[in-house]
Amino acid sequence: KAGVTQTPRYLIKTRGQQVTLSCSPISGHRSVSWYQQTPGQGLQFLFEYFSETQRNKGNFPGRFSGRQFSNSRSEMNVSTLELGDSALYLCASSDVDYGYTFGSGTRLTVV
Amino acid sequence: TQLLEQSPQFLSIQEGENLTVYCNSSSVFSSLQWYRQEPGEGPVLLVTVVTGGEVKKLKRLTFQFGDARKDSSLHITAAQPGDTGLYLCAGANRGSQGNLIFGKGTKLSVKP
């Protein structure tokens, strides 16, 4: 079956702009999690959605938000972009508590 | 705040050598997962260990979960160039679905 699909793969934005990233989970998976990966901090948890409800949230400012649709597809939005938001954004889907399948990520560069 | 410390941070070895990567925490986790990530791609799950003292083997890779469920190790026997990549351990807790605590990773390079 198809894996986790993230679009777009690459994105360049200017400081102050906003951006929306998309994630389509594996068919049948209802849980979608988002992570930010940077060389300095590694992978850090942003938030997790299950059946359109946010179940868990990491320690990121309110500029980072997300949502999940009825078909389990998820989007995350970052408003008022800062240079430090440049990172690889990864989403992962799961149908059980253990074992997450990650997408290839969206590489966001803020200039 | 739960943290996972991975060591070593970098490892460069010759093909055929053995190696061990460690993942340590002062906190207890419900499960520990190991992932491998290649440049420009997302992490790929290798194994999940759940029971303290559990040992799992995946071909030349052996994973162990500490008795107290605070640490884990990954041992690779006779490393091959195809094993090159970033190895990440991640801890999970019941009730914190989706919230994996990742170590910073071990960057492994296996030279032919």
Side-chain angles (χ1 to χ4, degrees), chain A residues 4-9 22-24 34 89-92 102-106:
Chain A
V4 177
T5 303
Q6 290 189 246
T7 56
R9 283 297 307 269
S22 179
C23 173
S24 293
W34 287 90
Y89 289 88
L90 293 158
C91 93
F102 282 82
S104 296
T106 294

Side-chain angles (χ1 to χ4, degrees), chain B residues 48-109:
Chain B
T48 300
V49 284
V50 178
T51 306
E54 184 176 3
V55 177
K56 279 192 175 177
K57 292 193 176 184
L58 191 67
K59 297 183 181 177
R60 295 177 293 101
L61 278 59
T62 301
F63 305 86
Q64 186 161 7
F65 200 12
D67 291 340
R69 291 187 289 132
K70 292 181 179 181
D71 54 84
S72 182
S73 64
L74 156 61
H75 182 79
I76 300 179
T77 303
Q80 299 176 359
D83 295 327
T84 294
L86 179 67
Y87 288 82
L88 296 155
C89 65
N93 289 307
R94 291 189 187 281
S96 296
Q97 291 88 344
N99 184 359
L100 294 174
I101 310 296
F102 277 89
K104 293 280 179 74
T106 294
K107 197 165 186 179
L108 172 66
S109 174

Side-chain angles (χ1 to χ4, degrees), chain B residues 5-11 20-24 34 89 105-106:
Chain B
E5 302 282 346
Q6 269 188 256
S7 61
Q9 194 176 353
F10 300 98
L11 199 49
T20 302
V21 176
Y22 299 94
C23 179
N24 296 299
W34 285 92
C89 65
T106 294

Side-chain angles (χ1 to χ4, degrees), chain A residues 17-29:
Chain A
Q17 287 186 314
Q18 74 157 13
V19 67
T20 299
L21 312 181
S22 179
C23 173
S24 293
I26 290 173
S27 178
H29 286 192

Side-chain angles (χ1 to χ4, degrees), chain A residues 56 97-98, chain B residues 2 28-31 50 69 91-99:
Chain A
N56 286 292
D97 280 347
Y98 311 126
Chain B
Q2 291 183 303
V28 175
F29 289 99
S30 299
S31 71
V50 178
R69 291 187 289 132
N93 289 307
R94 291 189 187 281
S96 296
Q97 291 88 344
N99 184 359

